[in-house]
Amino acid sequence: MQTPNAAHDTTSTPEDPGKLMTGAEMLLECLHREGVDIFFGYPGGVTLPFYDAVYDSHIKHILVRHEENAAFAAAGYARATGKTGVCCATSGPGATNLVTGLVDALMDSIPLVAITGQVHSKLIGSDAFQEADTFGITRPATKHNFMVRNVAELPRIVHEAFYIASSGRPGPVLVDIPKDVFQARGHYKPVDSIHLPGYKVFTEGHAGQIRRAAQLIWEAERPMVYAGGGILAGHASEELKELVELVDAPTVCTLMGLGGLSSSHRNFISMPGMHGSYASNMGMTECDLLIALGTRFDDRVTGQLGAFARHARVIHVDIDPAEVGKNRTPDIPIVGDVKRVLQKLNKVVKEFEPEMRATNANARGAWWDKIRGWMEQHPYDRRHDDSVIRPQHLMDEIDRLSGGQAIVTSDVGQHQMWAAQLIRFNEPRLWVNSGGLGSMGFGVPSAIGAQFARPDKLVIAICGDGGFQMSLPELSTIATHSLPIKIVVMNNGCLGMVRQWQTLFYNNRLSSVALECFPDVEKLAGAYGFTGRTVDKPHELAEALETAFRTPGPYLLNVTVAPMENVYPMVPAGGAVYEMVLGPPQPVAVE
Amino acid sequence: MLQTISILLENKPGALLRVTGVLSARGYNIEGLTVAKTLDPELSRMTITVDVEERLRTQVIKQMNKLVNVLQATDMTESPSVIREMVLVRIKCAQENRTAVLKEAEIFQARVIDSSLEGFAIEATGVTEKLDEFIDVMRSYGESDVSRSGAVAMSLETKKLRLQPPVPTGAGAQTL
C-alpha cells in the first residue's frame, strides 16, 4: 500500500536505488543486521504493520502478557548475555507500560532497545485513540530516544539506537515509530556508519593517571577493590581477576557486580553496603586505598558519605565522566572503559612489581589477617532451624544446589538481599536483579529473558510472595514455551522488607504489609499445566528443591518461611556503614 | 549568585527539553534561557542562567555533556566571557516627561523603537544588572511593560570542540 509520503521517502542514488521495502521490513532488516535473534513484545493497533512483517521473519518474537514484562524479559536477556535486549510495544498504554522497565535498565546500565508504535503521523497531537507522548514521557527514562518522522531515516535511527544502547555506559534507547512509517515504502540501503558528533565515548583512560594508580596500589598497606556492575557491562572479569591476584587485594563486589569476581575466589569478601557483610563494610571503612572499578558510590553502598572509606585514598575508574567525582572526589580519577583501563593498569602494576612487591608486604599480611578475622567473627547468618524454614536456610540450600553455576534472578526485597549474601556466583552474568530501581515483579520476567538467552543453564527465579504476584501473567508465557524456569517463592506472608522497616523504625506498626490469600500453588501452576508445590518443613526443603530443579519444564515451588526474620547486617539509612546492626539491635562500635 | 551555562547542541526535536530536563529533574529553576541556531543551521547555541551551587554545577554540566545531542556544554562562570541581555520596555508617559525619558534612555544607550502619544517603546542591551537599573528608572516615569530576552553569552577563549568521528554500524557490540 502506498502512503502519501512514500514518494519522497528515498535516500537512494540513481545508480543504486536500494531495495524497495516497507518501514516494517526495514526495521526487521536492521534488527537482523544488529544480530538480534529474539525480542519480547506485545502487539497493538499501530504496530499491526510491523507484526505483519514479523510473521514472515526468522527473528523470534516472544509474546509476553504485559508490556512491562517485555522490557524486563529483554533486560534479563541482556543481563544474562551482555548483548542488547530488544522489546516492543504499541502506542499509548503499551508504551507507558514499558516505562518502569526502561528506568530499570537506565539505573542498572543495561543495553536495551525498545521499539514503540505511534499513531499515524497525521494524528499526532490530536489526542487520537491510544496516543501518548511516548517521546516526551520516555525522555528521562532512557539514555536517548528517537521519534522516526519518515521511512528514509528509519534504518539510520535504528542503528544509532543500538550503538547508543550498547556503547559507553550502556542503557535503554527507545525508538518511537508512527504507523504510517511502518507502512511507507522506501528504498533500503544498508547503513554502514553512524555519525553522532556529540556522543562521546571515553575508553582509553589517561596513561599518566594509570601509572599513578599503579604506584598507589603498590604503596597501599590496606588496599581494597570495590568492583561494580561496570565489570560486567565492560566484560572485564578476566582483567579484574588478574589485578586482584597480582596484588592480592581483598575484593568486594556490589549488588550489581556480583559474579564480576567469582564468589568462590579466595580474594572475594562479599557484597558491601546496607546489607553487605561485616568484613566488607569494615574493610571499606579501614582500608587506606579504595580501588573503585565500574561503580558509582551508590548510597546503598556508602551509607553516610562523609564516613565512608574515611581513611582511604580513592582510585575511581568509570566510563561515565559524570560518575567520577559525583559522590566521592577521587584522588585518581580515570575516565575510561574498565576493561581497557585494567589491561593497561595491570601492565604497569606488573612493571612495578619487582621493586615494589616487598613494600608493605608485612602490612598487607596484617591487613588480610584483620579481614579474615572480621569474616570469621561475623559471617552471614546461615543457621537452620528444626521447626521452621528460615529464609537463610532456603538460600543456603539453593546455593548448595547451584554450586555457583545457576542463573539466579530475583525480585526486590528481603529475599533479594539474602540471595545476594548467601548464593555464590562463580561467573559473571549469573545474578540477575533489579539493583538501582528496585522494581518488584522483576524476577519472573527477567528469568524468561535469561532462559531464552541461556537455554543450557538452570535458571532459578527467586521471588517474594509480593513480587511473584506482580508477575503472575507471565506464568502463561513460561508455560507456552515450556521454559524450564524454577520459580522459588520465599513466602513469608508479607512484604518482608517493608515489614522489616516497620518493625525496626515504625514501632512494629505493620501497616498494609500482610499478603493474605496467597494462591494454592498446586492449583495455580496446575492451571497452566505445570507442577506447583508448597514446602514448609525444614527437613523437606532440600528434597523439594532437588525435585524442583530436576523436574523437566517449569516448576513453581512455594516455600513457607519464618515470617518475622530480618535481614542482617543492616546499615540504618543515612548511617555510617561501620555502624551496621548485626542482629536484633546491638550496634557495633569501631575503636 | 546566578551562573551562566553555554551549550552548543544539535538542532533536533526534543534537544532543548533534554538539556533543560537535566536541571528540572534536579529541581532547579531556570532564570533565563535563550536559544537560536548558529552559523551552522544544524546546530543551536543555548545560554541558560540558573542558580546551582558550584559542586553540583560541575555535575550538571557533565550530565549535559553526556547528552547525545549536546556537542559542548561550558560553564561560563569560570572562564572569561561576555554576557549580554536585551530588554524591550513599553512606557506610558505624560507629555511633560517625554524629554526626561529620552534623556534617561540615552544615558543607558537605549534606543527608541516606537513613539506614540501614549509614550515609547525602547530597547536596551547590557549586562543584567544594568538592565535592572534601566527598568527601575523607566518605571519611575510611568506604567511600563517589560520583556527581557534572557542572557546570551560568548566565551572569550577558543575552546576546542571535540567532535566524534563516525563509527562503523554495530560498533557498540564489538567489545563482546
Side-chain angles (χ1 to χ4, degrees):
Chain A
M1 194 179 76
Q2 282 285 100
T3 60
N5 61 349
H8 48 259
D9 275 339
T10 166
T11 47
S12 55
T13 56
E15 320 67 83
D16 178 17
K19 199 177 163 196
L20 200 60
M21 286 188 188
T22 65
E25 289 163 350
M26 283 185 198
L27 173 56
L28 283 166
E29 180 59 27
C30 294
L31 294 179
H32 170 67
R33 294 236 305 154
E34 289 289 348
V36 176
D37 47 20
I38 187 169
F39 69 114
F40 305 86
Y42 209 101
V46 298
T47 52
L48 275 164
F50 176 56
Y51 276 87
D52 190 56
V54 168
Y55 191 80
D56 295 323
S57 172
H58 72 280
I59 300 178
K60 199 192 247 180
H61 176 264
I62 304 303
L63 175 67
V64 292
R65 299 300 187 265
H66 188 289
E67 291 89 348
E68 178 182 276
N69 297 327
F72 285 159
Y77 177 90
R79 288 169 195 251
T81 57
K83 285 159 69 178
T84 302
V86 181
C87 59
C88 179
T90 192
S91 63
T96 56
N97 278 342
L98 283 183
V99 172
T100 304
L102 296 174
V103 182
D104 188 82
L106 185 67
M107 291 286 272
D108 286 348
S109 310
I110 303 303
L112 206 69
V113 169
I115 309 289
T116 51
Q118 183 53 275
V119 298
H120 194 290
S121 299
K122 281 185 186 159
L123 293 174
I124 291 177
S126 72
D127 301 327
F129 175 65
Q130 290 196 328
E131 182 185 1
D133 176 11
T134 305
F135 185 60
I137 289 168
T138 60
R139 179 184 49 76
T142 52
K143 182 175 173 185
H144 193 69
N145 63 359
F146 295 93
M147 187 200 257
V148 183
R149 287 162 303 173
N150 57 62
V151 72
E153 63 178 18
L154 179 67
R156 174 181 58 77
I157 286 178
V158 174
H159 290 301
E160 285 177 0
F162 274 87
Y163 176 58
I164 294 169
S166 58
S167 58
R169 179 180 182 173
V173 179
L174 180 137
V175 183
D176 197 32
I177 306 175
K179 185 175 189 179
D180 51 306
V181 174
F182 280 128
Q183 292 168 320
R185 284 177 178 280
H187 292 279
Y188 170 79
K189 285 215 296 189
V191 177
D192 295 325
S193 77
I194 295 160
H195 193 202
L196 298 164
Y199 177 61
K200 309 138 200 100
V201 179
F202 303 90
T203 52
E204 294 305 309
H206 189 280
Q209 295 288 62
I210 290 171
R211 287 193 82 79
R212 277 187 279 280
Q215 186 72 26
L216 275 195
I217 287 171
W218 281 120
E219 281 171 11
E221 296 185 354
R222 302 185 304 280
M224 189 91 187
V225 172
Y226 158 32
I231 296 293
L232 305 181
H235 308 272
S237 294
E238 280 306 311
E239 290 77 7
L240 171 67
K241 182 165 171 271
E242 190 185 4
L243 174 71
V244 164
E245 290 176 356
L246 268 174
V247 296
D248 195 21
T251 301
V252 297
C253 292
T254 66
L255 183 67
M256 287 306 299
L258 288 173
L261 182 70
S262 165
S263 306
S264 301
H265 194 281
R266 63 190 158 82
N267 288 54
F268 178 70
I269 310 303
S270 185
M271 172 177 78
M274 181 171 271
H275 293 295
S277 80
Y278 180 74
S280 298
N281 283 334
M282 293 309 292
M284 297 286 245
T285 304
E286 298 288 312
C287 67
D288 69 348
L289 179 70
L290 192 63
I291 307 160
L293 305 171
T295 192
R296 60 187 177 93
F297 292 79
D298 172 70
D299 60 279
R300 284 294 193 266
V301 166
T302 64
Q304 190 196 325
L305 205 51
F308 178 71
R310 53 194 178 168
H311 308 299
R313 290 201 272 184
V314 173
I315 298 167
H316 190 182
V317 182
D318 203 280
I319 199 161
D320 180 357
E323 285 302 341
V324 177
K326 184 176 85 175
N327 293 334
R328 169 80 175 240
T329 308
D331 299 85
I332 311 242
I334 302 176
V335 176
D337 172 53
V338 71
K339 186 185 184 82
R340 290 291 297 134
V341 171
L342 280 178
Q343 284 168 346
K344 293 177 182 181
L345 180 65
N346 290 344
K347 225 172 127 189
V348 188
V349 164
K350 274 189 241 172
E351 183 190 318
F352 291 169
E353 186 177 5
E355 55 172 305
M356 298 297 281
R357 174 157 288 285
T359 318
N360 299 326
N362 289 340
R364 283 168 182 244
W367 174 230
W368 263 117
D369 292 342
K370 205 165 187 180
I371 287 174
R372 299 268 179 238
W374 286 325
M375 290 171 85
E376 281 159 30
Q377 203 182 339
H378 297 292
Y380 287 128
D381 175 5
R382 292 177 186 263
R383 283 174 297 135
H384 300 186
D385 187 284
D386 290 339
S387 58
V388 62
I389 300 174
R390 300 183 74 230
Q392 298 90 333
H393 179 185
L394 171 62
M395 301 308 163
D396 198 35
E397 281 299 331
I398 293 174
D399 174 57
R400 181 178 67 80
L401 293 170
S402 156
Q405 298 300 315
I407 291 180
V408 176
T409 73
S410 96
D411 248 280
V412 171
Q414 286 187 317
H415 67 281
Q416 176 193 26
M417 291 299 114
W418 278 312
Q421 289 179 340
L422 301 176
I423 299 174
R424 284 164 297 163
F425 301 101
N426 288 353
E427 301 164 19
R429 311 197 172 285
L430 294 179
W431 171 236
V432 175
N433 87 131
S434 168
L437 191 63
S439 325
M440 284 177 69
F442 181 84
V444 170
S446 61
I448 293 174
Q451 187 76 77
F452 273 114
R454 299 292 307 272
D456 56 315
K457 279 282 185 189
L458 171 63
V459 175
I460 307 165
I462 303 180
C463 302
D465 42 331
F468 172 68
Q469 290 185 83
M470 284 195 184
S471 31
L472 284 177
E474 298 311 321
L475 295 181
S476 178
T477 314
I478 290 173
T480 303
H481 298 277
S482 303
L483 294 173
I485 294 169
K486 314 306 173 192
I487 303 171
V488 178
V489 179
M490 187 199 88
N491 194 332
N492 53 16
C494 66
L495 296 169
M497 190 58 94
V498 181
R499 198 275 308 143
Q500 173 167 344
W501 282 57
Q502 289 179 345
T503 299
L504 297 175
F505 308 116
Y506 291 85
N507 294 322
N508 205 29
R509 286 152 53 89
L510 304 187
S511 177
S512 298
V513 288
L515 291 168
E516 286 151 357
C517 296
F518 190 80
D520 176 327
V521 292
E522 275 178 56
K523 287 183 186 158
L524 179 65
Y528 291 100
F530 59 92
T531 312
R533 175 180 171 187
T534 292
V535 60
D536 57 4
K537 294 183 182 57
H539 67 272
E540 289 175 1
L541 178 61
E543 174 273 320
L545 283 167
E546 281 164 24
T547 305
F549 294 173
R550 220 177 33 230
T551 306
Y555 201 101
L556 173 59
L557 184 66
N558 177 41
V559 184
T560 308
V561 299
M564 294 302 277
E565 273 299 326
N566 291 337
V567 183
Y568 293 111
M570 179 178 192
V571 178
V577 292
Y578 55 80
E579 293 170 330
M580 76 203 104
V581 180
L582 290 168
Q586 261 174 15
V588 181
V590 173
E591 49 290 292
Chain B
M1 197 192 110
L2 294 175
Q3 291 91 33
T4 307
I5 302 170
S6 176
I7 298 134
L8 184 65
L9 72 163
E10 292 175 302
N11 188 3
K12 289 201 170 161
L16 170 75
L17 269 174
R18 291 181 208 281
V19 174
T20 56
V22 168
L23 294 165
S24 67
R26 288 163 180 75
Y28 294 117
N29 189 37
I30 294 170
E31 303 287 337
L33 186 155
T34 61
V35 57
K37 66 182 180 190
T38 61
L39 294 176
D40 178 348
E42 289 187 1
L43 302 180
S44 300
R45 169 73 67 181
M46 185 193 273
T47 307
I48 299 181
T49 310
V50 66
D51 188 5
V52 182
E53 61 184 278
E54 197 189 327
R55 202 183 70 83
L56 289 170
R57 197 161 72 241
T58 314
Q59 177 62 20
V60 158
I61 288 170
K62 280 181 175 177
Q63 294 287 355
M64 288 178 177
N65 270 314
K66 262 173 76 171
L67 297 170
V68 173
N69 296 140
V70 169
L71 301 190
Q72 192 176 48
T74 321
D75 187 351
M76 302 302 263
T77 324
E78 283 170 3
S79 60
S81 57
V82 282
I83 299 174
R84 289 292 180 273
E85 192 179 350
M86 177 175 169
V87 63
L88 298 174
V89 179
R90 197 182 65 229
I91 177 166
K92 265 187 182 172
C93 73
Q95 285 292 338
E96 62 269 28
N97 285 341
R98 289 180 72 97
T99 321
V101 166
L102 291 175
K103 192 73 200 160
E104 295 282 8
E106 201 184 319
I107 290 168
F108 282 91
Q109 291 179 306
R111 226 155 53 89
V112 173
I113 48 179
D114 187 63
S115 173
S116 68
L117 288 175
E118 301 237 303
F120 301 106
I122 305 173
E123 71 165 71
T125 60
V127 296
T128 300
E129 296 74 23
K130 191 181 123 183
L131 295 187
D132 289 343
E133 282 170 32
F134 175 65
I135 291 163
D136 285 347
V137 168
M138 286 297 125
R139 290 178 68 194
S140 72
Y141 285 99
E143 198 185 323
S144 303
D145 269 334
V146 171
S147 181
R148 300 177 72 143
S149 65
V152 289
M154 164 76 76
S155 173
L156 295 175
E157 287 175 337
T158 325
K159 228 184 162 186
K160 199 173 171 227
L161 183 63
R162 278 198 215 150
L163 298 182
Q164 301 305 302
V167 295
T169 303
Q174 278 176 357
T175 50
L176 282 174

